[in-house]
PDB file of all heavy atoms in Angstrom:
ATOM      1  N   ASN Q 175    -177.784 -26.052  99.763  1.00 97.00           N
ATOM      2  CA  ASN Q 175    -179.155 -25.919  99.238  1.00 97.00           C
ATOM      3  C   ASN Q 175    -179.846 -24.649  99.658  1.00 97.00           C
ATOM      4  O   ASN Q 175    -180.944 -24.645 100.158  1.00 97.00           O
ATOM      5  CB  ASN Q 175    -179.999 -27.221  99.714  1.00 97.00           C
ATOM      6  CG  ASN Q 175    -181.277 -27.277  98.964  1.00 97.00           C
ATOM      7  OD1 ASN Q 175    -181.377 -26.783  97.844  1.00 97.00           O
ATOM      8  ND2 ASN Q 175    -182.224 -27.971  99.586  1.00 97.00           N
ATOM      9  N   LEU Q 176    -179.138 -23.562  99.418  1.00 97.00           N
ATOM     10  CA  LEU Q 176    -179.680 -22.256  99.860  1.00 97.00           C
ATOM     11  C   LEU Q 176    -180.935 -21.878  99.157  1.00 97.00           C
ATOM     12  O   LEU Q 176    -181.100 -22.173  97.919  1.00 97.00           O
ATOM     13  CB  LEU Q 176    -178.566 -21.191  99.682  1.00 97.00           C
ATOM     14  CG  LEU Q 176    -177.477 -21.265 100.720  1.00 97.00           C
ATOM     15  CD1 LEU Q 176    -176.218 -20.491 100.200  1.00 97.00           C
ATOM     16  CD2 LEU Q 176    -177.944 -20.664 102.043  1.00 97.00           C
ATOM     17  N   LYS Q 177    -181.799 -21.200  99.891  1.00 96.00           N
ATOM     18  CA  LYS Q 177    -183.110 -20.757  99.349  1.00 96.00           C
ATOM     19  C   LYS Q 177    -183.156 -19.230  99.486  1.00 96.00           C
ATOM     20  O   LYS Q 177    -182.465 -18.586 100.256  1.00 96.00           O
ATOM     21  CB  LYS Q 177    -184.222 -21.380 100.192  1.00 96.00           C
ATOM     22  CG  LYS Q 177    -184.181 -22.911 100.239  1.00 96.00           C
ATOM     23  CD  LYS Q 177    -185.241 -23.477 101.161  1.00 96.00           C
ATOM     24  CE  LYS Q 177    -185.183 -24.946 101.170  1.00 96.00           C
ATOM     25  NZ  LYS Q 177    -186.186 -25.545 102.078  1.00 96.00           N
ATOM     26  N   PRO Q 178    -184.025 -18.614  98.621  1.00 96.00           N
ATOM     27  CA  PRO Q 178    -184.131 -17.130  98.769  1.00 96.00           C
ATOM     28  C   PRO Q 178    -184.534 -16.657 100.146  1.00 96.00           C
ATOM     29  O   PRO Q 178    -184.036 -15.559 100.525  1.00 96.00           O
ATOM     30  CB  PRO Q 178    -185.289 -16.795  97.764  1.00 96.00           C
ATOM     31  CG  PRO Q 178    -185.189 -17.910  96.736  1.00 96.00           C
ATOM     32  CD  PRO Q 178    -184.796 -19.158  97.482  1.00 96.00           C
ATOM     33  N   GLU Q 179    -185.262 -17.390 100.912  1.00 94.00           N
ATOM     34  CA  GLU Q 179    -185.601 -16.955 102.246  1.00 94.00           C
ATOM     35  C   GLU Q 179    -184.420 -16.993 103.219  1.00 94.00           C
ATOM     36  O   GLU Q 179    -184.563 -16.543 104.387  1.00 94.00           O
ATOM     37  CB  GLU Q 179    -186.757 -17.809 102.802  1.00 94.00           C
ATOM     38  CG  GLU Q 179    -186.559 -19.288 102.726  1.00 94.00           C
ATOM     39  CD  GLU Q 179    -187.235 -19.897 101.536  1.00 94.00           C
ATOM     40  OE1 GLU Q 179    -187.121 -19.322 100.416  1.00 94.00           O
ATOM     41  OE2 GLU Q 179    -187.831 -21.017 101.684  1.00 94.00           O
ATOM     42  N   ASP Q 180    -183.286 -17.568 102.773  1.00 96.00           N
ATOM     43  CA  ASP Q 180    -182.053 -17.529 103.592  1.00 96.00           C
ATOM     44  C   ASP Q 180    -181.364 -16.186 103.510  1.00 96.00           C
ATOM     45  O   ASP Q 180    -180.345 -15.928 104.249  1.00 96.00           O
ATOM     46  CB  ASP Q 180    -181.079 -18.634 103.143  1.00 96.00           C
ATOM     47  CG  ASP Q 180    -181.636 -20.007 103.444  1.00 96.00           C
ATOM     48  OD1 ASP Q 180    -182.282 -20.186 104.513  1.00 96.00           O
ATOM     49  OD2 ASP Q 180    -181.390 -20.902 102.600  1.00 96.00           O
ATOM     50  N   THR Q 181    -181.766 -15.278 102.559  1.00 97.00           N
ATOM     51  CA  THR Q 181    -181.160 -14.053 102.451  1.00 97.00           C
ATOM     52  C   THR Q 181    -181.228 -13.216 103.664  1.00 97.00           C
ATOM     53  O   THR Q 181    -182.366 -12.956 104.204  1.00 97.00           O
ATOM     54  CB  THR Q 181    -181.830 -13.261 101.266  1.00 97.00           C
ATOM     55  OG1 THR Q 181    -181.630 -13.991 100.043  1.00 97.00           O
ATOM     56  CG2 THR Q 181    -181.209 -11.887 101.124  1.00 97.00           C
ATOM     57  N   ALA Q 182    -180.120 -12.703 104.199  1.00 98.00           N
ATOM     58  CA  ALA Q 182    -180.051 -11.995 105.420  1.00 98.00           C
ATOM     59  C   ALA Q 182    -178.599 -11.572 105.689  1.00 98.00           C
ATOM     60  O   ALA Q 182    -177.696 -11.994 105.013  1.00 98.00           O
ATOM     61  CB  ALA Q 182    -180.597 -12.890 106.641  1.00 98.00           C
ATOM     62  N   VAL Q 183    -178.462 -10.710 106.726  1.00 98.00           N
ATOM     63  CA  VAL Q 183    -177.132 -10.440 107.262  1.00 98.00           C
ATOM     64  C   VAL Q 183    -176.901 -11.531 108.348  1.00 98.00           C
ATOM     65  O   VAL Q 183    -177.693 -11.707 109.247  1.00 98.00           O
ATOM     66  CB  VAL Q 183    -177.026  -9.092 107.912  1.00 98.00           C
ATOM     67  CG1 VAL Q 183    -175.649  -8.848 108.554  1.00 98.00           C
ATOM     68  CG2 VAL Q 183    -177.261  -8.016 106.784  1.00 98.00           C
ATOM     69  N   TYR Q 184    -175.759 -12.201 108.226  1.00 98.00           N
ATOM     70  CA  TYR Q 184    -175.410 -13.264 109.176  1.00 98.00           C
ATOM     71  C   TYR Q 184    -174.355 -12.784 110.130  1.00 98.00           C
ATOM     72  O   TYR Q 184    -173.349 -12.196 109.767  1.00 98.00           O
ATOM     73  CB  TYR Q 184    -174.909 -14.444 108.401  1.00 98.00           C
ATOM     74  CG  TYR Q 184    -175.976 -15.283 107.754  1.00 98.00           C
ATOM     75  CD1 TYR Q 184    -176.732 -14.823 106.655  1.00 98.00           C
ATOM     76  CD2 TYR Q 184    -176.416 -16.546 108.223  1.00 98.00           C
ATOM     77  CE1 TYR Q 184    -177.714 -15.507 106.092  1.00 98.00           C
ATOM     78  CE2 TYR Q 184    -177.408 -17.263 107.679  1.00 98.00           C
ATOM     79  CZ  TYR Q 184    -178.081 -16.704 106.557  1.00 98.00           C
ATOM     80  OH  TYR Q 184    -179.049 -17.480 106.022  1.00 98.00           O
ATOM     81  N   TYR Q 185    -174.588 -13.067 111.435  1.00 98.00           N
ATOM     82  CA  TYR Q 185    -173.701 -12.612 112.520  1.00 98.00           C
ATOM     83  C   TYR Q 185    -173.163 -13.852 113.266  1.00 98.00           C
ATOM     84  O   TYR Q 185    -173.902 -14.787 113.500  1.00 98.00           O
ATOM     85  CB  TYR Q 185    -174.398 -11.723 113.518  1.00 98.00           C
ATOM     86  CG  TYR Q 185    -174.998 -10.514 112.914  1.00 98.00           C
ATOM     87  CD1 TYR Q 185    -176.337 -10.432 112.394  1.00 98.00           C
ATOM     88  CD2 TYR Q 185    -174.284  -9.263 112.954  1.00 98.00           C
ATOM     89  CE1 TYR Q 185    -176.827  -9.276 111.878  1.00 98.00           C
ATOM     90  CE2 TYR Q 185    -174.848  -8.100 112.423  1.00 98.00           C
ATOM     91  CZ  TYR Q 185    -176.126  -8.112 111.921  1.00 98.00           C
ATOM     92  OH  TYR Q 185    -176.604  -6.933 111.398  1.00 98.00           O
ATOM     93  N   CYS Q 186    -171.894 -13.798 113.711  1.00 98.00           N
ATOM     94  CA  CYS Q 186    -171.441 -14.756 114.651  1.00 98.00           C
ATOM     95  C   CYS Q 186    -171.377 -14.134 116.051  1.00 98.00           C
ATOM     96  O   CYS Q 186    -171.286 -12.867 116.155  1.00 98.00           O
ATOM     97  CB  CYS Q 186    -170.117 -15.319 114.263  1.00 98.00           C
ATOM     98  SG  CYS Q 186    -168.727 -14.208 114.273  1.00 98.00           S
ATOM     99  N   ALA Q 187    -171.516 -14.939 117.059  1.00 98.00           N
ATOM    100  CA  ALA Q 187    -171.504 -14.441 118.378  1.00 98.00           C
ATOM    101  C   ALA Q 187    -170.828 -15.438 119.310  1.00 98.00           C
ATOM    102  O   ALA Q 187    -170.759 -16.646 119.012  1.00 98.00           O
ATOM    103  CB  ALA Q 187    -172.982 -14.280 118.905  1.00 98.00           C
ATOM    104  N   GLY Q 188    -170.328 -14.960 120.436  1.00 97.00           N
ATOM    105  CA  GLY Q 188    -169.651 -15.770 121.465  1.00 97.00           C
ATOM    106  C   GLY Q 188    -170.055 -15.485 122.827  1.00 97.00           C
ATOM    107  O   GLY Q 188    -170.489 -14.364 123.181  1.00 97.00           O
ATOM    108  N   ALA Q 189    -170.023 -16.499 123.688  1.00 97.00           N
ATOM    109  CA  ALA Q 189    -170.298 -16.357 125.149  1.00 97.00           C
ATOM    110  C   ALA Q 189    -169.272 -17.122 125.869  1.00 97.00           C
ATOM    111  O   ALA Q 189    -168.870 -18.271 125.522  1.00 97.00           O
ATOM    112  CB  ALA Q 189    -171.682 -16.882 125.442  1.00 97.00           C
ATOM    113  N   HIS Q 190    -168.777 -16.568 126.962  1.00 96.00           N
ATOM    114  CA  HIS Q 190    -167.755 -17.268 127.802  1.00 96.00           C
ATOM    115  C   HIS Q 190    -168.411 -18.338 128.652  1.00 96.00           C
ATOM    116  O   HIS Q 190    -168.717 -18.176 129.784  1.00 96.00           O
ATOM    117  CB  HIS Q 190    -167.033 -16.264 128.678  1.00 96.00           C
ATOM    118  CG  HIS Q 190    -165.776 -16.772 129.332  1.00 96.00           C
ATOM    119  ND1 HIS Q 190    -165.750 -17.167 130.659  1.00 96.00           N
ATOM    120  CD2 HIS Q 190    -164.562 -17.012 128.795  1.00 96.00           C
ATOM    121  CE1 HIS Q 190    -164.571 -17.576 130.961  1.00 96.00           C
ATOM    122  NE2 HIS Q 190    -163.827 -17.510 129.811  1.00 96.00           N
ATOM    123  N   ALA Q 191    -168.555 -19.512 127.976  1.00 97.00           N
ATOM    124  CA  ALA Q 191    -169.258 -20.656 128.589  1.00 97.00           C
ATOM    125  C   ALA Q 191    -168.930 -21.856 127.835  1.00 97.00           C
ATOM    126  O   ALA Q 191    -168.595 -21.824 126.655  1.00 97.00           O
ATOM    127  CB  ALA Q 191    -170.801 -20.412 128.610  1.00 97.00           C
ATOM    128  N   ASP Q 192    -169.080 -22.989 128.478  1.00 97.00           N
ATOM    129  CA  ASP Q 192    -168.936 -24.285 127.790  1.00 97.00           C
ATOM    130  C   ASP Q 192    -170.151 -24.479 126.891  1.00 97.00           C
ATOM    131  O   ASP Q 192    -170.016 -24.924 125.725  1.00 97.00           O
ATOM    132  CB  ASP Q 192    -168.879 -25.383 128.892  1.00 97.00           C
ATOM    133  CG  ASP Q 192    -168.878 -26.803 128.268  1.00 97.00           C
ATOM    134  OD1 ASP Q 192    -168.411 -26.912 127.126  1.00 97.00           O
ATOM    135  OD2 ASP Q 192    -169.245 -27.696 128.990  1.00 97.00           O
ATOM    136  N   TRP Q 193    -171.355 -24.246 127.432  1.00 97.00           N
ATOM    137  CA  TRP Q 193    -172.607 -24.401 126.664  1.00 97.00           C
ATOM    138  C   TRP Q 193    -173.622 -23.375 127.238  1.00 97.00           C
ATOM    139  O   TRP Q 193    -173.632 -23.042 128.393  1.00 97.00           O
ATOM    140  CB  TRP Q 193    -173.187 -25.807 126.870  1.00 97.00           C
ATOM    141  CG  TRP Q 193    -174.507 -26.032 126.252  1.00 97.00           C
ATOM    142  CD1 TRP Q 193    -175.710 -26.119 126.825  1.00 97.00           C
ATOM    143  CD2 TRP Q 193    -174.805 -26.121 124.848  1.00 97.00           C
ATOM    144  NE1 TRP Q 193    -176.748 -26.285 125.920  1.00 97.00           N
ATOM    145  CE2 TRP Q 193    -176.161 -26.347 124.713  1.00 97.00           C
ATOM    146  CE3 TRP Q 193    -173.987 -26.125 123.672  1.00 97.00           C
ATOM    147  CZ2 TRP Q 193    -176.763 -26.462 123.431  1.00 97.00           C
ATOM    148  CZ3 TRP Q 193    -174.581 -26.260 122.439  1.00 97.00           C
ATOM    149  CH2 TRP Q 193    -175.987 -26.424 122.341  1.00 97.00           C
ATOM    150  N   VAL Q 194    -174.363 -22.823 126.329  1.00 97.00           N
ATOM    151  CA  VAL Q 194    -175.296 -21.772 126.667  1.00 97.00           C
ATOM    152  C   VAL Q 194    -176.708 -22.343 126.614  1.00 97.00           C
ATOM    153  O   VAL Q 194    -177.194 -22.940 125.619  1.00 97.00           O
ATOM    154  CB  VAL Q 194    -175.236 -20.593 125.669  1.00 97.00           C
ATOM    155  CG1 VAL Q 194    -176.324 -19.540 125.958  1.00 97.00           C
ATOM    156  CG2 VAL Q 194    -173.856 -19.950 125.706  1.00 97.00           C
ATOM    157  N   MET Q 195    -177.392 -22.302 127.754  1.00 95.00           N
ATOM    158  CA  MET Q 195    -178.822 -22.662 127.797  1.00 95.00           C
ATOM    159  C   MET Q 195    -179.603 -21.655 127.005  1.00 95.00           C
ATOM    160  O   MET Q 195    -179.401 -20.430 127.116  1.00 95.00           O
ATOM    161  CB  MET Q 195    -179.307 -22.680 129.218  1.00 95.00           C
ATOM    162  CG  MET Q 195    -178.556 -23.699 130.128  1.00 95.00           C
ATOM    163  SD  MET Q 195    -178.777 -25.393 129.596  1.00 95.00           S
ATOM    164  CE  MET Q 195    -180.540 -25.635 129.711  1.00 95.00           C
ATOM    165  N   GLY Q 196    -180.481 -22.150 126.167  1.00 96.00           N
ATOM    166  CA  GLY Q 196    -181.240 -21.222 125.269  1.00 96.00           C
ATOM    167  C   GLY Q 196    -180.219 -20.556 124.287  1.00 96.00           C
ATOM    168  O   GLY Q 196    -180.260 -19.340 124.079  1.00 96.00           O
ATOM    169  N   CYS Q 197    -179.432 -21.391 123.631  1.00 97.00           N
ATOM    170  CA  CYS Q 197    -178.310 -20.872 122.881  1.00 97.00           C
ATOM    171  C   CYS Q 197    -178.666 -20.261 121.538  1.00 97.00           C
ATOM    172  O   CYS Q 197    -177.832 -19.672 120.871  1.00 97.00           O
ATOM    173  CB  CYS Q 197    -177.253 -21.946 122.586  1.00 97.00           C
ATOM    174  SG  CYS Q 197    -177.840 -23.336 121.571  1.00 97.00           S
ATOM    175  N   LEU Q 198    -179.927 -20.272 121.172  1.00 97.00           N
ATOM    176  CA  LEU Q 198    -180.436 -19.522 120.006  1.00 97.00           C
ATOM    177  C   LEU Q 198    -181.136 -18.217 120.329  1.00 97.00           C
ATOM    178  O   LEU Q 198    -181.717 -17.569 119.489  1.00 97.00           O
ATOM    179  CB  LEU Q 198    -181.373 -20.428 119.208  1.00 97.00           C
ATOM    180  CG  LEU Q 198    -180.758 -21.697 118.587  1.00 97.00           C
ATOM    181  CD1 LEU Q 198    -181.829 -22.561 117.853  1.00 97.00           C
ATOM    182  CD2 LEU Q 198    -179.627 -21.351 117.667  1.00 97.00           C
ATOM    183  N   ASP Q 199    -180.938 -17.808 121.587  1.00 97.00           N
ATOM    184  CA  ASP Q 199    -181.376 -16.488 122.026  1.00 97.00           C
ATOM    185  C   ASP Q 199    -180.265 -15.459 121.945  1.00 97.00           C
ATOM    186  O   ASP Q 199    -179.197 -15.645 122.631  1.00 97.00           O
ATOM    187  CB  ASP Q 199    -181.874 -16.588 123.476  1.00 97.00           C
ATOM    188  CG  ASP Q 199    -182.390 -15.312 124.026  1.00 97.00           C
ATOM    189  OD1 ASP Q 199    -182.253 -14.225 123.388  1.00 97.00           O
ATOM    190  OD2 ASP Q 199    -182.852 -15.339 125.198  1.00 97.00           O
ATOM    191  N   PRO Q 200    -180.405 -14.441 121.126  1.00 97.00           N
ATOM    192  CA  PRO Q 200    -179.201 -13.503 120.931  1.00 97.00           C
ATOM    193  C   PRO Q 200    -178.848 -12.840 122.245  1.00 97.00           C
ATOM    194  O   PRO Q 200    -177.680 -12.381 122.403  1.00 97.00           O
ATOM    195  CB  PRO Q 200    -179.737 -12.535 119.933  1.00 97.00           C
ATOM    196  CG  PRO Q 200    -181.186 -12.683 119.907  1.00 97.00           C
ATOM    197  CD  PRO Q 200    -181.462 -14.114 120.296  1.00 97.00           C
ATOM    198  N   GLY Q 201    -179.795 -12.689 123.208  1.00 97.00           N
ATOM    199  CA  GLY Q 201    -179.457 -12.017 124.470  1.00 97.00           C
ATOM    200  C   GLY Q 201    -178.473 -12.727 125.335  1.00 97.00           C
ATOM    201  O   GLY Q 201    -177.972 -12.154 126.290  1.00 97.00           O
ATOM    202  N   GLU Q 202    -178.167 -13.983 125.022  1.00 97.00           N
ATOM    203  CA  GLU Q 202    -177.199 -14.767 125.790  1.00 97.00           C
ATOM    204  C   GLU Q 202    -175.748 -14.473 125.455  1.00 97.00           C
ATOM    205  O   GLU Q 202    -174.866 -14.995 126.208  1.00 97.00           O
ATOM    206  CB  GLU Q 202    -177.486 -16.227 125.610  1.00 97.00           C
ATOM    207  CG  GLU Q 202    -178.901 -16.683 126.101  1.00 97.00           C
ATOM    208  CD  GLU Q 202    -179.014 -16.607 127.574  1.00 97.00           C
ATOM    209  OE1 GLU Q 202    -177.994 -16.633 128.306  1.00 97.00           O
ATOM    210  OE2 GLU Q 202    -180.184 -16.532 128.111  1.00 97.00           O
TER     211      GLU Q 202
END
C-alpha cells in the first residue's frame, strides 16, 4: 500500500549486536 510520501532512497544497515537499543537511530 505504498504512498507518494514513501518516495525516498532506502538504505539497509547492520550492527554487530543481538539487538540495538534505539534501533531506529542511524548513529547506532
Side-chain angles (χ1 to χ4, degrees):
N175 192 24
L176 284 162
K177 303 175 180 180
E179 53 262 43
D180 296 319
T181 296
V183 177
Y184 283 71
Y185 300 89
C186 67
H190 191 258
D192 177 26
W193 175 253
V194 176
M195 298 299 297
C197 65
L198 296 178
D199 180 354
E202 298 291 336

